[in-house]
Amino acid sequence: MKAFQTVGIVGVGLIGGSIALDIKRRKLAQRVVGYSRHSKNITFAKKRGIIDAGSTDLSVLSRADCVILAAPVKAIISLGKKLASVVRKDALVIDVGSTKQEIVRSLEKIFPSFVGCHPLAGSEKRGIDNVRAGLFEKSLCVLTPTPKTDDEALAQAMRLWNRLGATAICLTPLEHDIVLSLTSHLPHALAFSLIRSVPREYLELSAGSLRDTTRIAASDPEVWADIFMSNNDALIDALTEFEKNIAVLKRLVRSQNRNKLVAFLSEAKQKRTLLV
């Protein structure tokens, strides 16, 4: 893969900063520049060698031949619109948002070489302090091309993620949002709801199971509010499916039918073993 001249990172938090760090570490660009609303993030990122230069002004991205939008979902859309008059017309523009239909629909109208992306990596932690090299090693990145997607832009995006250590696959934006509503958005919704269900005074008596099951409830509420709202139809369907299963469990517990209860739990356990 030919190195980019300048890669611009919009949002130097956990994901954006980790991408920048690995692009520099793997020499995938001659220069990496960053944009953040917060000057302290730019100062920290430059000091740590995560970026070569940065600014709180979007004009810092004007010479980039690849721009990566690494911000919350709603911010990706609003910043994308502002970038339209700044970014080079021939620049590859990708995003790393957790939902795709709304983002792709908005940004493919603006950028000729836009490719929707979602690296399935990260953690409940956010911010430049949590940036780490190798975050995308052996991970999966979903690309969401449409009939409007430029073939060369798609190939460039796939090569970039492969060089970052990820396996790139393609889904439509709709397919992505349906799948992620069940594999990512539903678990977060349940974790938030579960911890709300436990009285505060009982927390000190909790076992490791509560801590493990609700780990992702420590995620940023602002970020997840955007994700839930931008994928509301698919998430509501996922919640409805969960409600059916919890209703079955509730009925089995009430009926004291041990054989059927064991069968229900065994089926769940067997499916859990399929997770790698």
Side-chain angles (χ1 to χ4, degrees):
M1 170 181 164
K2 181 181 177 182
F4 292 105
Q5 292 180 353
T6 302
V7 170
I9 308 290
V10 180
V12 286
L14 170 64
I15 300 297
S18 296
I19 292 172
L21 191 60
D22 273 350
I23 285 176
K24 286 177 61 64
R25 189 167 65 103
R26 297 168 185 259
K27 297 180 170 54
L28 303 183
Q30 296 176 23
R31 192 164 181 261
V32 178
V33 299
Y35 162 84
S36 175
R37 293 179 303 157
H38 308 290
S39 58
K40 64 179 182 179
N41 287 353
I42 295 297
T43 301
F44 183 90
K46 287 166 62 178
K47 186 176 180 180
R48 283 275 306 272
I50 296 169
I51 58 175
D52 298 304
S55 175
T56 56
D57 191 319
L58 287 170
S59 63
V60 73
L61 307 168
S62 62
R63 300 181 67 178
D65 50 337
C66 174
V67 176
I68 302 171
L69 293 152
V73 172
K74 296 296 184 183
I76 285 173
I77 295 171
S78 61
L79 285 168
K81 293 175 180 178
K82 293 176 182 177
L83 279 169
S85 60
V86 175
V87 174
R88 288 168 41 174
K89 297 299 182 185
D90 63 342
L92 171 67
V93 179
I94 67 176
D95 80 293
V96 296
S98 296
T99 63
K100 294 270 70 90
Q101 289 182 89
E102 188 177 7
I103 290 174
V104 172
R105 189 164 50 243
S106 298
L107 299 192
E108 71 177 1
K109 298 175 183 177
I110 299 173
F111 303 107
S113 297
F114 173 76
V115 182
C117 303
H118 182 198
L120 306 185
S123 78
E124 75 280 5
K125 298 177 180 178
R126 287 188 71 208
I128 191 73
D129 294 345
N130 296 298
V131 164
R132 66 178 176 88
L135 181 64
F136 308 100
E137 282 285 351
K138 298 180 180 178
S139 68
L140 194 65
C141 183
V142 182
L143 278 61
T144 57
T146 74
K148 297 181 180 179
T149 303
D150 179 77
D151 289 341
E152 177 55 30
L154 178 61
Q156 277 188 301
M158 293 191 79
R159 288 194 295 268
L160 174 60
W161 288 112
N162 289 338
R163 290 294 300 274
L164 290 172
T167 298
I169 66 166
C170 291
L171 297 175
T172 68
L174 175 60
E175 288 170 339
H176 169 279
D177 286 359
I178 291 173
V179 171
L180 269 292
S181 73
L182 287 159
T183 62
S184 175
H185 307 165
L186 177 61
H188 279 81
L190 300 186
F192 285 121
S193 301
L194 175 57
I195 197 65
R196 281 179 55 88
S197 302
V198 180
R200 187 180 296 269
E201 61 269 24
Y202 294 174
L203 294 178
E204 63 182 29
L205 300 174
S206 64
S209 56
L210 181 65
R211 187 177 299 108
D212 293 344
T213 308
T214 61
R215 175 184 59 83
I216 53 177
S219 301
D220 189 318
E222 295 284 345
V223 169
W224 280 93
D226 277 359
I227 292 170
F228 290 167
M229 292 176 68
S230 67
N231 199 26
N232 61 316
D233 288 342
L235 177 57
I236 289 170
D237 288 344
L239 287 166
T240 300
E241 184 62 29
F242 177 78
E243 287 170 345
K244 292 177 184 177
N245 280 284
I246 205 71
V248 171
L249 177 59
K250 186 176 180 180
R251 186 166 63 249
L252 293 174
V253 171
R254 179 182 289 129
S255 70
Q256 294 290 288
N257 188 324
R258 190 176 190 281
N259 289 338
K260 288 187 176 180
L261 180 57
V262 169
F264 178 92
L265 300 177
S266 296
E267 182 182 345
K269 178 182 178 181
Q270 184 179 24
K271 184 179 286 188
R272 175 61 179 81
T273 63
L274 301 177
L275 280 179
V276 294

